[in-house]
Amino acid sequence: MAELGQSRRSFIGTLIALVAGGMFLGKFLAPRPRHTKTLLAVPKGDLPRDGALVYREARIAVMSRGGRVYALNLVCTHLGCTVNVTPAGLICPCHGSEFDSEGRVLKGPADRALERYEVQLVGESYQVQV
């Protein structure tokens, strides 16, 4: 009878250790929920078709091209200057880097594209989210 009690305790202890270990490992193996932060809200009617709205203080441009709406971070990937938006493209005034309207590098010294932000239509406004 003593053996039965000892094996039952051993079984329960092992079961508890396995459950606790599984929960501990689950924190590292499960994907983290994505938390989004809204940086900017733009009324839908304010965004020109195939145009851009530049928010200089936020250093963000909300772009509309071919029915797609997206946002670009206007911080140059070279040294962090604020990129100017022109009809020809995006140009860094500090060192002359040039980017196309999608944020891809056309001319260095910048070697990485501008960061793109997710834009969602919520009601009657576009929300730029990180």
Side-chain angles (χ1 to χ4, degrees):
M1 190 69 154
E3 283 182 22
L4 185 60
Q6 184 64 26
S7 66
R8 198 176 287 159
R9 282 189 207 114
S10 178
F11 173 75
I12 291 173
T14 303
L15 186 62
I16 290 172
L18 285 172
V19 169
M23 290 173 62
F24 178 75
L25 287 176
K27 286 184 176 183
F28 296 104
L29 299 176
R32 291 185 180 160
R34 185 171 177 209
H35 299 286
T36 59
K37 176 183 172 188
T38 300
L39 297 177
L40 186 61
V42 179
K44 186 177 177 182
D46 289 358
L47 185 61
R49 187 173 177 207
D50 292 330
L53 287 176
V54 177
Y55 294 88
R56 202 117 174 89
E57 283 189 28
R59 296 169 73 164
I60 295 173
V62 180
M63 317 281 277
S64 170
R65 296 276 185 269
R68 293 181 309 121
V69 177
Y70 56 96
L72 293 175
N73 184 338
L74 295 179
V75 176
C76 182
T77 55
H78 176 232
L79 289 177
C81 296
T82 302
V83 174
N84 293 326
V85 179
T86 68
L90 295 94
I91 301 169
C92 179
C94 298
H95 300 103
S97 293
E98 294 180 14
F99 304 88
D100 67 7
S101 62
E102 298 285 324
R104 294 180 294 249
V105 178
L106 297 175
K107 177 183 155 199
D111 61 353
R112 289 177 289 128
L114 297 175
E115 183 179 2
R116 290 177 72 114
Y117 293 129
E118 182 179 337
V119 176
Q120 291 185 347
L121 182 61
V122 178
E124 287 298 311
S125 69
Y126 291 111
Q127 292 189 357
V128 179
Q129 299 177 338
V130 185

